[in-house]
Amino acid sequence: MYATQRNKLIGLLYLAPAVLFVLVFTAYPLSQMLWMSLHNWSIIEPAKWVGFGNYVKAWNDRQFWTSLGFTLKYTLLLTPILMVGGYLLALLVSRNTPLRKFTRAVTFVPVVIGLGVSSLLWYWLFNYNFGLVNRFLVDLGIIARPLVWFGEDADRALWAVIVSIVWKVLGFGMLLYVAAIQGIHPETTEAAMVDGASYWQRIRMITLPLTYRTILLVTLVSVIGSLLAFDQFYLMTAGQPFNRTATSVFWIYLNSFPYLKLGYGAALSLILALIILACTIVQMTLTRRSHA
Amino acid sequence: MKLKFGAGLFALSALAVSLMTSAPSKAADLVMWERSGGNKGMVDILVNMWNEKNPDRHINLTYIPHAEMVAKLAQAIASGDVPDLMGMDLIYGPQFEKAGQLVDVTDQIAKLPEMKTISPGHLKVATWEGKLYGVPLYADVSALFYNKDLFAKAGLDPNKPPTSLKQLREYADKITALGGDIKGYYLPGSCAGCNIFTVGPLIWASGGKIESAGPGDEPLTGDIKPVLQWLRDMVKSGNVHESDRAENGETFHLQFGSGKVGMMGTGNFNISLARDQNPSMKFGIALLPGMAENSAASFIGGDLLVIPKGSKRVSDAVDFMKFLISDEVQVEGYAKALNLTTRSDMVDNKYFKAEPLVQDVAKALSVGRTPYTTTFFEQINSPQGPWLQMLQRVYYTDDDLDQIIADAKAAMKAIADQ
Amino acid sequence: MSAGVAFARDLTRPTAPTLAARLWRSRSTYLAGAVCMAVSAVMLAPLVLSVSASLKTTEEASAIPPTYLTHLLSLSSYGRLWAYQEGLPTYLFNSGAVAFLAIAFCLILSIPAGYALARFPIPGREFFFVFLLLALIIPYQALLTPIFFMFASLKLTNTLVGLAIVHTTIQLPFSVYIMRNSFEAVPRELEEAAFIDGCSTWQVLLRILLPAIRAAIVTVALFAFITSWNEFLGALVMMNKGTAFTLPLILSNARQETSIGGTDWGMLQAGITISIVPCVLFYLLLQKYYVSGFLSGAVK
């Protein structure tokens, strides 16, 4: 009923506002970023053409590689935790009992508060002197003295941040998984039960395959989000120690704002965007192949 | 449906309201920016004093998050939407002066008699190629605070603070030996600014130089290695608490007042803070020493009052500058609030007389200096920069000191050479 | 169905479980219940502790070691936050107005776009869809400076509308995605009937489809609100006048608030609590709407 010539035009009209908006406020600044990346520009001094100089600089920049490596490490650690943890949690709460509904609701609350607020909250909890994590661990006898979470050991800081992010976003994946699990026809599971399949066999043979698309979606969102991580590291670790916990976007931010090296920051952004694009394409190809 | 209609109506009215931009201010108001995380109390007092005297030229003050101040200022100047006057961390002076982003006030201010005794550190960074661009807004200076109670307990003479790094170490050992959570000294592990403020002078007093002023200027020259060795030994010998490592500046001002630190490099602002925190603690102030006996140095910090290019109220801003350096404001503004006067000839006033500690800390002005470079943030103040990295390696690793110095030199040079 | 099939089904129905199996199942039910409660506790604990800390007296807030819950109730932290510079009401208003505008912009743009992408035979439809999702892979921090200069020449800096546009830029891809999926999930029978009756696409959109995707609208609104209410860097870049600041900027100042850059923990907690409250309220009140919106919109 929609397939008329006139509707082609009408459709374009409906689409136009959003497309125009993105053209003006995303695509145009993006093209300016491209221009910026080919120059050295500190705002207070006129821009200087450097061609691909900024890109070469990135290749030789040790901090660029450190940040990229750290960002990948963070992504590779966080994503499985969110996938597996979120899925297990979803299996736990997928039935519609009052307790489970309550758990679902409560687990989603951290998702709706801001990332900055959540980071500040955990920054406080992990503080050496004033934080309750240290107090809790000492009270339980797990550690003898308070630990310095941020600024001393890069891995310890990383895990503290991971804890805070898992707390914050677990509910998001959980909810999507619950939706997918509830979308499986009950007869399918019943038939499996009749066939004598155990709980875990049912999960493996039925639930997982039928919720595959959701799993991939959540993974994709999680990976992109981790590759673009910034706020939590800016607020909690400030990139310390020795800049080992500075993510790629953190390094972009430093160059674009305090250091006033906007050309370099723009080049770094474009490089990162390409990397993310590549990851996305890889993931989507894997999706299509396994589905076929 | 009603919900949608109501929502739509609300949205339209909100749109209408918001199109009227932000709250209206009187056309004659002066717009002033100041960075957050500085001496807010003092700046508020000064602005209030001016506003009382000048109701028709009311200053409207906004505090900008300081980590982004430089970028915001740059953007403001480039877009033409600048404040009429602003307070700026003084070490950024050279960077903006070099780029021609500040208004030259040489003719109006430089020859005034009050400027003869103005803080030398501020004067230096407010000057570029012989021209003057600002006056001090407030001054901080670093000194060695020492806990007289702990001195007495450790068997040291409470009226004889150490006069060399070697002596400092001996005293610290004795105080740390008191045990418990008491330590002889304090070294912040994650705060670049705290370190340049309180450890920089130790290097200067020993004859070393730190920053690179610009392309071609060699950083980290002079006899630095012994000082770094001294710092490393202080940490290794347990004279500083392990929690110092996490200090990123946010609780720096609370450390001395806790009463658990024997000696500490900190600033004049700590006098009233320590008093509030720990009223019964007796403490004294000395100069930060160097390797040699009786050598001393200090970091003069604080803010400058400058006029950004494109300001439409230059003459009013210049009047504010004259206001700041006037006799009356020096005494009734700065001294009354027990802040340093920015003119050394005003140190002798009734408020300071009642408060000898402030006079002691004011002595640091005479051996004080301020780094001069156009890339201060990236080289030194940035938590991700080479200065903090160098110190962290010195404090917490066993890396070879020559290597550490060489690496930091290379990094700072690379930054300065851009 | 024939009696034969029914009989066969009866034969294959699972038989009554043995006592052991029943005991095992009830034990795992209790275990599951316990885990649920533990998870809920872990999720709620940090929030409860934060709110409790915001109600501590100043002395207790800076005590070492810290106390878990407050012993005395004190609103001094809120008092300091309330009176801070231009006053909390100003910042709340700014944050709220910007969020409201961002929601409006997102909906106004993404609803028609979602409709178009789901139903209309637009040439290059998939291309447009991917184009609209473009902003997702670009670190928006780097886009802020070009946008700032664009806004400076358009006189949009320091305005609530300007900041709302920035927030919409960040939130639009997600909104379009949700909207398109929701529209696709609506069965077409309703529209068929309307078209036969001679309705235009606009009438169909307004009268039939909008109510059908109510859940998606609430979802988009909720997430647009959360993004806008909590956004910091864009607000910092766009706003120069203190009177235009939003709540996250003030929180950032709280970290350097006590003289010479120390953290005012109590005020920070108060700020965190105030930032959290509207988001949680929004979520709880509209929970039933957007949960289903999520489910229909995101999962296909």
Side-chain angles (χ1 to χ4, degrees):
Chain A
M1 57 188 147
Y2 280 97
T4 68
Q5 273 303 108
R6 188 160 169 268
N7 272 343
K8 272 198 196 157
L9 190 56
I10 296 188
L12 276 172
L13 282 176
Y14 277 126
L15 198 50
V19 171
L20 275 172
F21 185 89
V22 172
L23 267 175
V24 173
F25 294 112
T26 308
Y28 178 60
L30 187 60
S31 68
Q32 284 190 304
M33 257 176 62
L34 192 52
W35 176 89
M36 275 160 60
S37 75
L38 301 172
H39 292 75
N40 270 344
W41 189 41
S42 73
I43 305 188
I44 52 184
E45 302 192 16
K48 231 173 32 169
W49 170 266
V50 291
F52 285 114
N54 282 325
Y55 293 93
V56 172
K57 183 169 164 187
W59 181 264
N60 292 323
D61 182 2
R62 202 165 61 152
Q63 183 59 46
F64 169 70
W65 293 108
T66 308
S67 287
L68 188 59
F70 177 74
T71 310
L72 288 173
K73 179 172 167 185
Y74 168 70
T75 306
L76 289 172
L77 283 175
L78 182 65
T79 310
I81 297 178
L82 287 179
M83 276 169 58
V84 173
Y87 205 80
L88 288 177
L89 192 55
L91 288 174
L92 180 67
V93 298
S94 52
R95 292 201 350 244
N96 282 330
T97 70
L99 175 62
R100 284 164 167 75
K101 280 199 197 165
F102 175 75
T103 308
R104 262 188 254 152
V106 161
T107 310
F108 203 75
V109 169
V111 178
V112 302
I113 70 179
L115 183 56
V117 168
S118 161
S119 302
L120 285 175
L121 208 165
W122 282 94
Y123 174 73
W124 166 66
L125 287 176
F126 275 113
N127 184 271
Y128 178 83
N129 281 319
F130 302 103
L132 289 169
V133 168
N134 273 339
R135 167 97 202 259
F136 187 63
L137 291 176
V138 167
D139 284 351
L140 283 186
I142 299 181
I143 56 177
R145 312 195 42 143
L147 288 176
V148 176
W149 288 99
F150 299 124
E152 188 174 275
D153 182 82
D155 284 327
R156 206 184 295 156
L158 175 60
W159 281 109
V161 173
I162 288 182
V163 164
S164 78
I165 294 299
V166 169
W167 175 81
K168 179 158 193 334
V169 304
L170 196 62
F172 185 83
M174 174 207 74
L175 197 65
L176 288 178
Y177 291 142
V178 165
I181 291 172
Q182 287 185 343
I184 299 178
H185 285 292
E187 286 97 50
T188 327
T189 8
E190 269 178 24
M193 277 201 289
V194 164
D195 282 346
S198 76
Y199 182 69
W200 292 107
Q201 281 176 318
R202 285 207 303 276
I203 301 296
R204 203 158 48 93
M205 309 257 179
I206 299 186
T207 323
L208 275 178
L210 287 180
T211 56
Y212 199 60
R213 293 199 72 184
T214 311
I215 297 178
L216 250 27
L217 172 72
V218 172
T219 311
L220 186 64
V221 169
S222 168
V223 165
I224 294 182
S226 308
L227 289 173
L228 288 174
F230 169 64
D231 295 46
Q232 55 272 41
F233 292 97
Y234 175 70
L235 291 170
M236 292 171 88
T237 70
Q240 300 314 299
F242 296 137
N243 285 350
R244 280 201 229 120
T245 62
T247 56
S248 296
V249 177
F250 198 144
W251 185 230
I252 290 174
Y253 159 79
L254 278 179
N255 280 297
S256 306
F257 289 89
Y259 294 175
L260 289 183
K261 294 224 213 55
L262 280 92
Y264 189 46
L268 292 173
S269 306
L270 290 171
I271 295 176
L272 185 63
L274 284 174
I275 293 179
I276 295 180
L277 191 59
C279 284
T280 310
I281 293 180
V282 164
Q283 269 193 291
M284 307 208 70
T285 330
L286 286 176
T287 319
R288 237 167 264 151
R289 219 181 323 142
S290 50
H291 235 224
Chain B
M1 256 7 230
K2 253 196 220 142
L3 179 67
K4 287 254 162 42
F5 181 67
L9 197 60
F10 186 30
L12 277 173
S13 40
L15 190 64
V17 167
S18 59
L19 277 173
M20 302 187 303
T21 67
S22 36
S25 49
K26 296 196 289 289
D29 274 5
L30 285 166
V31 174
M32 175 171 165
W33 286 4
E34 165 62 350
R35 59 162 174 143
S36 71
N39 196 340
K40 179 165 183 286
M42 192 64 236
V43 178
D44 284 341
I45 292 177
L46 292 168
V47 170
N48 285 338
M49 280 176 74
W50 165 275
N51 284 339
E52 264 169 47
K53 290 229 168 82
N54 296 273
D56 54 330
R57 295 192 286 176
H58 183 98
I59 288 184
N60 220 312
L61 181 60
T62 301
Y63 284 96
I64 310 273
H66 81 118
E68 279 81 28
M69 177 72 146
V70 168
K72 270 202 87 59
L73 181 58
Q75 285 171 340
I77 295 176
S79 69
D81 189 13
V82 291
D84 298 313
L85 64 166
M86 57 179 286
M88 179 171 79
D89 192 333
L90 79 168
I91 39 94
Y92 293 125
Q95 184 174 6
F96 283 87
E97 287 147 23
K98 174 171 170 215
Q101 301 303 306
L102 302 177
V103 170
D104 178 357
V105 295
T106 320
D107 295 334
Q108 300 98 312
I109 305 270
K111 298 261 177 11
L112 294 175
E114 291 92 335
M115 289 302 285
K116 286 214 187 76
T117 51
I118 210 79
S119 154
H122 288 75
L123 186 60
K124 182 167 132 195
V125 290
T127 309
W128 178 266
E129 288 180 355
K131 297 210 185 300
L132 181 68
Y133 292 90
V135 300
L137 179 57
Y138 63 84
D140 289 325
V141 78
S142 60
L144 185 68
F145 280 46
Y146 63 99
N147 188 327
K148 288 190 173 175
D149 298 329
L150 289 179
F151 262 50
K153 271 207 200 123
L156 297 161
D157 183 346
N159 293 317
K160 285 232 178 81
T163 51
S164 73
L165 286 178
K166 183 153 166 279
Q167 239 186 13
L168 213 169
R169 169 71 191 274
E170 285 166 14
Y171 289 17
D173 286 338
K174 291 211 174 90
I175 296 176
T176 307
L178 292 173
D181 247 350
I182 305 213
K183 294 292 180 188
Y185 201 61
Y186 187 93
L187 286 172
S190 298
C191 173
C194 314
N195 274 301
I196 190 66
F197 193 60
T198 60
V199 170
L202 304 179
I203 295 181
W204 287 336
S206 310
K209 174 177 110 131
I210 300 177
E211 76 282 6
S212 165
D217 188 37
E218 189 70 21
L220 292 176
T221 57
D223 218 3
I224 303 199
K225 193 162 157 194
V227 185
L228 297 186
Q229 185 63 54
W230 180 87
L231 289 168
R232 175 173 278 180
D233 293 337
M234 282 298 265
V235 177
K236 284 210 176 354
S237 60
N239 271 315
V240 299
H241 199 280
E242 59 166 16
S243 64
D244 295 0
R245 188 163 179 178
E247 179 59 63
N248 59 3
E250 294 186 357
T251 51
F252 182 72
H253 60 295
L254 294 172
Q255 300 300 331
F256 185 70
S258 72
K260 300 211 179 100
V261 178
M263 297 168 283
M264 179 174 166
T266 173
N268 51 297
F269 47 79
N270 222 333
I271 298 178
S272 36
L273 280 175
R275 286 260 174 67
D276 287 339
Q277 217 181 334
N278 202 336
S280 57
M281 179 174 80
K282 285 202 275 303
F283 62 96
I285 299 181
L287 298 176
L288 288 163
M291 296 299 301
E293 189 64 33
N294 281 323
S295 58
S298 163
F299 185 106
I300 299 181
D303 280 20
L304 285 173
L305 197 289
V306 294
I307 310 176
K309 185 169 83 166
S311 162
K312 300 191 186 60
R313 305 286 295 269
V314 176
S315 57
D316 290 325
V318 169
D319 285 344
F320 187 65
M321 287 185 179
K322 293 185 183 159
F323 173 78
L324 290 176
I325 59 178
S326 67
D327 289 4
E328 192 197 339
V329 173
Q330 291 285 311
V331 177
E332 297 301 327
Y334 296 98
K336 187 166 169 195
L338 288 187
N339 269 264
L340 287 178
T341 57
T342 55
R343 284 168 47 195
S344 51
D345 60 332
M346 302 303 298
V347 169
D348 215 359
N349 59 70
K350 61 181 186 214
Y351 298 110
F352 284 7
K353 281 206 173 55
E355 191 46 87
L357 279 178
V358 181
Q359 284 189 314
D360 287 337
V361 88
K363 290 200 191 108
L365 275 174
S366 56
V367 294
R369 59 173 110 164
T370 309
Y372 192 88
T373 165
T374 55
T375 46
F376 185 84
F377 183 78
E378 235 187 301
Q379 280 187 53
I380 308 233
N381 235 15
S382 162
Q384 295 85 14
W387 166 250
L388 184 62
Q389 286 207 20
M390 173 180 89
L391 288 180
Q392 285 176 332
R393 287 174 76 187
V394 167
Y395 297 162
Y396 308 122
T397 71
D398 285 314
D399 295 347
D400 175 50
L401 286 179
D402 288 312
Q403 185 61 49
I404 296 178
I405 297 179
D407 291 343
K409 256 202 211 209
M412 285 166 85
K413 260 189 91 158
I415 294 172
D417 278 346
Q418 284 155 10
Chain C
M1 276 194 296
S2 71
V5 176
F7 180 66
R9 272 181 74 207
D10 275 334
L11 274 183
T12 49
R13 192 155 300 181
T15 50
T18 63
L19 179 65
R22 248 186 298 150
L23 276 178
W24 170 250
R25 206 172 315 141
S26 63
R27 189 169 71 163
S28 54
T29 314
Y30 283 128
L31 189 60
V35 174
C36 278
M37 292 201 286
V39 167
S40 304
V42 167
M43 289 296 163
L44 281 180
L47 297 170
V48 168
L49 292 173
S50 176
V51 174
S52 167
S54 72
L55 294 170
K56 286 184 183 169
T57 61
T58 321
E59 295 83 48
E60 199 181 343
S62 42
I64 301 175
T67 56
Y68 285 110
L69 293 174
T70 181
H71 292 126
L72 297 166
L73 281 181
S74 156
L75 290 177
S76 62
S77 303
Y78 287 97
R80 281 201 300 285
L81 187 61
W82 184 268
Y84 185 74
Q85 283 187 31
E86 310 288 341
L88 189 60
T90 308
Y91 305 125
L92 286 177
F93 173 76
N94 289 338
S95 283
V98 172
F100 209 92
L101 287 172
I103 293 177
F105 291 162
C106 274
L107 289 174
I108 292 174
L109 293 173
S110 64
I111 291 179
Y115 182 39
L117 290 169
R119 293 286 195 249
F120 289 78
I122 300 172
R125 199 161 70 165
E126 283 303 309
F127 163 75
F128 279 116
F129 185 52
V130 170
F131 177 71
L132 289 176
L133 296 184
L134 180 69
L136 277 177
I137 63 167
I138 301 174
Y140 85 96
Q141 292 85 353
L143 283 177
L144 284 176
T145 309
I147 293 183
F148 171 80
F149 282 111
M150 189 198 313
F151 277 16
S153 48
L154 293 173
K155 298 269 181 281
L156 278 177
T157 54
N158 273 324
T159 61
L160 302 174
V161 170
L163 187 56
I165 292 179
V166 173
H167 292 172
T168 308
T169 317
I170 301 172
Q171 197 58 26
L172 194 60
F174 180 76
S175 311
V176 167
Y177 183 81
I178 295 269
M179 279 301 165
R180 187 192 81 150
N181 282 9
S182 310
F183 275 109
E184 279 185 349
V186 176
R188 297 186 179 224
E189 290 86 43
L190 298 170
E191 291 147 77
E192 269 175 18
F195 281 131
I196 292 174
D197 281 348
C199 288
S200 71
T201 52
W202 181 249
Q203 287 167 319
V204 165
L205 176 61
L206 234 40
R207 301 237 188 86
I208 299 183
L209 289 173
L210 276 189
I213 58 155
R214 202 169 37 191
I217 293 181
V218 173
T219 306
V220 167
L222 175 68
F223 281 93
F225 177 80
I226 296 169
T227 299
S228 173
W229 179 260
N230 290 290
E231 202 274 332
F232 165 75
L233 203 56
L236 178 68
V237 170
M238 294 299 150
M239 304 308 208
N240 288 340
K241 297 195 174 45
T243 47
F245 277 9
T246 56
L247 191 57
L249 290 179
I250 301 312
L251 272 195
S252 138
N253 274 356
R255 274 184 75 177
Q256 302 146 350
E257 208 22 58
T258 57
S259 24
I260 314 300
T263 304
D264 183 341
W265 291 105
M267 190 165 117
L268 188 64
Q269 298 300 341
I272 290 178
T273 306
I274 292 198
S275 293
I276 291 181
V277 164
C279 298
V280 176
L281 272 181
F282 202 141
Y283 156 69
L284 289 175
L285 287 176
L286 298 170
Q287 202 188 14
K288 71 169 173 154
Y289 284 118
Y290 87 82
V291 168
S292 48
F294 225 118
L295 310 193
S296 73
V299 180
K300 255 206 328 162

